[in-house]
Amino acid sequence: MYSSNSPQTEEDVKHLYITPAIERGWAAEHIRMEARITDGRFNLRGNLVARERPKKADYLLCPNGGAPMAVVEAKDASHGVSYGLQQAKTYAEMMDLRFAYSSNGHGFTEYDFFTGVERNLSMDEFPSEQELVARLLREGHFSDEELRVRAAPAYTSATTNTPRYYQQVAIDRVLSAVARGQRRLLLVMATGTGKTFTAFQIVWRLRQAGLARKILYLADRNILVDQSIAQDFSPLKDVIHKVNFAKDDRKTLTAYEVFFSLYQQMVGDGDDGSEEHFRTLFDPAFFDLVIVDECHRGSAKEESRWRRVLDYFSGAVQLGMTATPKETKYVSNIDYFGDPVYTYSLRQGIEDGFLAPFRVVNVHMDISDGWRPTKGQRDFYGKEIPDRIYNNTDYDYTIVLEDRIRAVAHEITEFLKRSGGRLQKTIVFCASEEAAERMRQALVRENADLMKEHADYIVRITGGDDFGKSKLAYFISVSEPYPTIATTSELLSTGVDAKMTKVIALDKNIVSMTQFKQIIGRGTRVREQDGKTHFTILDFRGVTRLFADPEWDGPALQDPDFSHAEPVSEPNDVPPAGGDEGGDEPGGDTVRESPYRPFVTRDGCAVQVLGKTIAIYDTDGKLLRQENIIDYTRENVRGDYGDLAQFIRTWTASAKKRAIADALREHGIDLDALKRDMGMAEVDDFDFLCHVAYDQKPLTRRERAEGVQKTDFLHRYSGAARAVLETLLVTYQNLGIKEIENPSVLKLSDFQHFGTIPKIIKLFGGKAAFQSALRALEDELYKIG
């Protein structure tokens, strides 16, 4: 080998020693090097978003080119042989691997997750592919059939990503369970983590392994079916068929192998003849695998239409998929499917950087904690309003306050203006279809300028609105900017893949954790290449209190009081009067309204926003901090520079003023963006920071530039040199101090008539003299005020 004083790097050790040792027993195509595991979490600090470094494994060992079985972490020789073992074990646990190894080029340390034994090996003793597989068989942890199925290759193409690590784990666990003869399986994966892609890979590999030929994919909405067929399942388009009970017959169906259907179309209501027709099309043994998408929607209910389909195809393997398994006293996914074979939570998705983190803006109104009508006050219809205290559980349910709707619409609009523009895809969740229409109208009034340019800027998308539903595909499109704002009640709460949603406004009461998780999931998709790295929740009802609930990101556990005797409805999910639970499609919107609903005009109750708090939560739903970007900036400026006098001294002494802006960026503060958000883009950086941190009156750049012109500073120079400084002063006024410090400033068109940069510098007598003149100009600027 080499001495411990060798200058060889970790890459040298891998190339010279570790890779050759592994390749003695493994085919090169079965070794994945520098395998990316995670994307790196997005951190929300200040008004900037920064990614952490992704996790990468030095080596992943994949028997027969299939699923990984072992991970090897390399270190240079200045570390001990076992130094990287904990890192390897962490990666192995994440990826469900059986063996973890560490090496520094002197030897290997092995950890066997089955036996718990850790042992040291020489470089020549690293186990071959055949030896590791034989150990799995010998120890009884895998059967021949499991290893055969797990070796079936995933689908890959030039346009298809390889499965992420957690998708790989989910796929392999399902395949192993099927190979072991398990007939009912539950897969729990957070919204936005690719359940449909995972299902496709499961189908592909089971077909490759010969364990499933006829597959039925059940969903509860046409859009879910159509999205799945057109996107993730497109490689199987030649064998896919969307069931059409009006046209299909047995002969037609024999030509296909992968079927998609809405469950409600397959069995109907039980008394319309549809179920009998479905039985004439399909024998009970027709399907080998039935996949139930969004199975939390009641697939385990004894009387549900889901269950009738599952009971009929009882001989098939049945896989339930959901982000939010339903576990109550009356409904249990676990009771039907069993414990999840794998769970990938929202917390894990955010930690790994595959899901977007979020800020919560809690908006507090003067009536949030209660509004009482004055004696004899009448509603919109002239009826006297019952005298009692109304609060957030009443508004839009038992009483409609026109000015409250206006205030919510105004706050949403102002937030979009301040936080990145009004073309951010936004979903506003309202109490009912009628409430969604009222909110749409209020938002239209707030955004008349954009509505004039784009009639579909704001659209109601609900189960009972055919026009709105026709716009759904455009709303969820990554490339289509309009509709931009969608008001809804239930239709967009689950299953709809709205990748570019950046704002979720909550203006409805939510008591169901399942529904809450589904709604939050609308914003968790990451589209970094399109500028989507995080999202914001605007909470007008205090709904985000549910983050404090232990259920927020806990494991799926069956309710100890679960009973097969089911009531007509579930108490936990019944909304207040006028709420919604259904619609023309499952998960759609209701058109029900409470029989008495006073509508109070703005003259009857003026509503104001008292204030806002910004909350940052960790991935367990725990409150990290209440954040106000101005307070955050003030704390960091004072923490770095002390009092006002010290800040001024530091600013004056700084050779480059941008250094202070760069230092703030390290704290997560984008100074230019913050100035824009506060409507102070024309204010000088120095004045802005003095205003925010030390409550000083700010000056605009124009005011400072005009102040310099009133002094004799420019008279110290003559001719072209003075003209250059005057042009620099105009540039400062338009662009700021950081720009005139940039050497490239002399390349701007305003300076071209002075000649080349060397010629301009020569006007001052050389580079040192030019820099001295520029520094003198800066000093003069900050003497003003």
Side-chain angles (χ1 to χ4, degrees):
M1 293 295 170
Y2 55 88
S3 73
S4 60
N5 294 321
S6 170
Q8 290 167 315
T9 66
E10 180 180 306
E11 290 304 312
D12 294 330
V13 170
K14 287 162 63 177
H15 174 69
L16 293 173
Y17 306 108
I18 299 177
T19 300
I22 295 174
E23 287 184 339
R24 279 194 288 270
W26 289 77
E29 60 269 25
H30 297 172
I31 303 170
R32 290 172 55 196
M33 298 184 65
E34 289 296 309
R36 191 183 183 107
I37 303 174
T38 71
D39 277 358
R41 175 179 174 162
F42 292 101
N43 282 320
L44 301 181
R45 295 186 306 153
N47 60 344
L48 284 177
V49 180
R51 254 203 198 275
E52 295 179 353
R53 291 183 179 179
K55 291 183 172 67
K56 292 182 180 180
D58 289 326
Y59 300 85
L60 286 182
L61 307 183
C62 311
N64 300 312
M69 181 182 294
V71 60
V72 182
E73 277 303 304
K75 299 298 175 186
D76 62 41
S78 66
H79 297 93
V81 175
S82 64
Y83 186 81
L85 188 62
Q86 187 55 55
Q87 184 178 352
K89 288 166 69 176
T90 298
Y91 292 167
E93 288 180 304
M94 290 174 65
M95 294 184 285
D96 215 20
L97 308 184
R98 274 57 189 172
F99 302 99
Y101 296 90
S102 174
S103 177
N104 65 351
H106 286 302
F108 291 93
T109 299
E110 175 194 83
Y111 182 80
D112 184 333
F113 278 88
F114 285 131
T115 64
V117 173
E118 182 178 316
R119 61 176 182 148
N120 291 320
L121 307 170
S122 71
M123 294 301 290
D124 296 330
E125 291 179 310
F126 192 81
S128 68
E129 182 172 338
Q130 293 73 25
E131 288 173 324
L132 278 190
V133 171
R135 282 171 62 179
L136 293 176
L137 292 171
R138 184 172 62 251
E139 295 172 7
H141 300 297
F142 281 102
S143 65
D144 287 324
E145 180 69 351
E146 277 185 79
L147 289 176
R148 183 184 73 81
V149 172
R150 289 170 65 96
Y155 175 82
T156 57
S157 73
T159 58
T160 303
N161 294 325
T162 57
R164 293 170 173 169
Y165 86 85
Y166 63 87
Q167 294 168 338
Q168 186 74 58
V169 174
I171 295 163
D172 291 335
R173 287 203 184 176
V174 169
L175 265 58
S176 287
V178 172
R180 292 194 302 268
Q182 191 170 333
R183 311 304 290 172
R184 295 180 182 177
L185 306 98
L186 179 62
L187 200 53
V188 179
M189 295 173 63
T191 300
T193 56
K195 290 190 296 295
T196 310
F197 174 76
T198 302
F200 160 72
Q201 291 287 358
I202 290 169
V203 169
W204 179 270
R205 289 178 62 184
L206 285 175
R207 284 166 52 82
Q208 295 294 306
L211 291 185
R213 189 173 69 88
K214 296 284 189 180
I215 293 103
L216 174 62
Y217 189 105
L218 287 172
D220 65 351
R221 296 192 198 178
N222 263 312
I223 189 171
L224 299 182
V225 169
D226 295 339
Q227 280 180 176
S228 301
I229 294 173
Q231 297 174 15
D232 291 315
F233 276 81
S234 60
L236 293 170
K237 61 184 178 181
D238 292 338
V239 296
I240 283 179
H241 178 66
K242 184 178 178 181
V243 177
N244 185 330
F245 289 95
K247 298 179 180 179
D248 288 341
D249 55 43
R250 284 203 173 208
K251 185 177 180 180
T252 303
L253 298 179
T254 57
Y256 302 100
E257 296 183 0
V258 181
F259 296 78
F260 284 79
S261 178
L262 301 180
Y263 75 86
Q264 62 268 38
Q265 289 180 345
M266 183 163 276
V267 296
D269 294 318
D271 55 3
D272 58 0
S274 56
E275 184 167 354
E276 187 59 34
H277 181 52
F278 134 68
R279 293 173 183 270
T280 63
L281 290 176
F282 301 104
D283 291 326
F286 188 87
F287 294 109
D288 305 306
L289 171 67
V290 177
I291 297 176
V292 185
D293 193 13
E294 304 290 355
C295 69
H296 68 276
R297 287 199 165 275
S299 61
K301 290 184 178 180
E302 298 290 338
E303 302 167 359
S304 74
R305 290 176 290 184
W306 286 102
R307 183 61 178 269
R308 299 213 302 277
V309 179
L310 297 177
D311 285 346
Y312 184 72
F313 297 117
S314 59
V317 173
Q318 298 176 354
L319 171 63
M321 299 191 307
T322 180
T324 52
K326 185 170 285 188
E327 298 300 326
T328 72
K329 286 191 280 188
Y330 310 105
V331 177
S332 173
N333 291 134
I334 290 176
D335 179 69
Y336 185 83
F337 290 106
D339 290 325
V341 293
Y342 182 63
T343 297
Y344 188 72
S345 67
L346 176 67
R347 175 187 62 78
Q348 292 169 301
I350 294 175
E351 285 286 359
D352 291 337
F354 297 124
L355 295 181
F358 51 86
R359 287 187 175 96
V360 176
V361 179
N362 293 287
V363 182
H364 309 287
M365 295 182 172
D366 57 354
I367 63 167
S368 296
D369 294 328
W371 171 77
R372 184 180 181 184
T374 58
K375 182 178 180 180
Q377 185 170 359
R378 298 184 180 275
D379 64 22
F380 183 80
Y381 305 103
K383 296 180 180 179
E384 185 171 345
I385 303 171
D387 182 20
R388 68 177 180 85
I389 300 297
Y390 296 87
N391 54 39
N392 278 335
T393 63
D394 292 298
Y395 307 134
D396 293 307
Y397 292 99
T398 60
I399 191 167
V400 179
L401 299 181
E402 184 178 13
D403 206 52
R404 183 188 180 282
I405 300 168
R406 178 207 58 78
V408 171
H410 177 76
E411 195 60 37
I412 292 171
T413 303
E414 289 303 307
F415 175 81
L416 293 177
K417 289 178 180 178
R418 296 191 307 267
S419 67
R422 292 155 74 191
L423 293 184
Q424 299 176 84
K425 293 280 186 173
T426 300
I427 304 176
V428 186
F429 286 96
C430 305
S432 65
E433 282 208 87
E434 283 195 1
E437 176 59 16
R438 291 192 291 267
M439 183 58 66
R440 185 196 67 81
Q441 293 174 349
L443 285 164
V444 165
R445 288 191 290 271
E446 291 285 332
N447 296 274
D449 55 336
L450 285 181
M451 290 296 297
K452 181 180 179 180
E453 297 178 19
H454 305 282
D456 290 342
Y457 175 64
I458 302 165
V459 173
R460 180 180 74 155
I461 303 179
T462 58
D465 189 329
D466 290 337
F467 174 78
K469 286 192 291 186
S470 75
K471 297 296 180 180
L472 179 56
Y474 297 98
F475 179 72
I476 66 178
S477 169
V478 173
S479 58
E480 291 289 340
Y482 307 103
T484 304
I485 301 176
T487 65
T488 191
S489 178
E490 288 288 331
L491 189 58
L492 297 181
S493 66
T494 181
V496 178
D497 191 11
K499 297 182 176 69
M500 288 302 293
T501 301
K502 291 187 176 182
V503 179
I504 294 174
L506 301 176
D507 195 31
K508 65 179 295 180
N509 297 328
I510 301 172
V511 295
S512 164
M513 183 60 74
T514 296
Q515 186 184 47
F516 180 59
K517 287 182 177 181
Q518 289 287 343
I519 287 175
I520 298 306
R522 298 312 97 205
T524 56
R525 271 75 169 178
V526 170
R527 296 283 299 189
E528 190 171 9
Q529 69 274 28
D530 298 307
K532 166 72 185 299
T533 58
H534 63 290
F535 67 104
T536 301
I537 302 168
L538 299 179
D539 184 4
F540 294 92
R541 305 264 184 166
V543 172
T544 50
R545 67 186 182 282
L546 291 173
F547 283 128
D549 192 305
E551 279 190 62
W552 161 244
D553 203 46
L557 300 174
Q558 189 173 39
D559 193 299
D561 298 323
F562 169 71
S563 168
H564 287 275
E566 299 176 25
V568 175
S569 61
E570 298 175 58
N572 243 359
D573 287 338
V574 175
D580 47 292
E581 271 290 293
D584 65 338
E585 288 187 289
D589 298 282
T590 185
V591 295
R592 297 195 305 270
E593 292 291 333
S594 61
Y596 175 68
R597 175 165 294 186
F599 196 107
V600 182
T601 65
R602 68 175 62 191
D603 294 331
C605 179
V607 177
Q608 293 181 342
V609 172
L610 295 180
K612 297 176 286 291
T613 56
I614 301 175
I616 304 295
Y617 294 85
D618 71 6
T619 50
D620 293 310
K622 301 295 185 294
L623 180 65
L624 290 179
R625 61 184 182 273
Q626 297 282 5
E627 182 179 272
N628 179 298
I629 184 60
I630 302 303
D631 293 340
Y632 181 76
T633 303
R634 180 185 299 113
E635 290 170 7
N636 279 281
V637 171
R638 290 180 175 180
D640 287 350
Y641 305 107
D643 60 17
L644 177 61
Q646 180 60 42
F647 174 74
I648 293 174
R649 285 194 294 272
T650 304
W651 180 274
T652 303
S654 297
K656 294 287 187 181
K657 310 306 182 193
R658 80 162 37 251
I660 291 179
D662 291 342
L664 290 173
R665 181 171 284 273
E666 292 296 315
H667 292 296
I669 300 168
D670 183 330
L671 195 55
D672 291 331
L674 185 55
K675 286 164 61 177
R676 287 194 302 270
D677 290 345
M678 293 183 64
M680 300 177 72
E682 303 303 315
V683 171
D684 185 86
D685 289 0
F686 171 80
D687 291 280
F688 179 77
L689 291 174
C690 287
H691 172 66
V692 168
Y694 305 106
D695 300 318
Q696 299 298 299
K697 179 183 176 181
L699 296 177
T700 65
R701 294 192 299 273
R702 174 183 291 276
E703 289 171 324
R704 287 199 174 275
E706 290 175 348
V708 171
Q709 291 171 343
K710 293 176 182 177
T711 69
D712 65 350
F713 172 77
L714 293 173
H715 297 293
R716 303 175 199 170
Y717 302 85
S718 61
R722 175 173 173 172
V724 169
L725 289 174
E726 288 174 337
T727 306
L728 280 169
L729 195 59
V730 172
T731 303
Y732 159 79
Q733 179 177 310
N734 293 330
L735 300 178
I737 191 67
K738 295 190 292 293
E739 293 306 319
I740 68 169
E741 290 182 332
N742 188 339
S744 297
V745 68
L746 298 180
K747 295 180 180 179
L748 295 177
S749 59
D750 291 346
F751 295 91
Q752 287 181 355
H753 66 281
F754 293 114
T756 63
I757 292 179
K759 186 175 180 180
I760 293 173
I761 290 175
K762 190 175 181 180
L763 294 172
F764 291 84
K767 184 177 180 179
F770 171 74
Q771 290 177 337
S772 176
L774 180 60
R775 182 63 185 267
L777 174 61
E778 291 181 357
D779 290 344
E780 197 68 27
L781 278 168
Y782 294 108
K783 285 181 182 178
I784 309 302

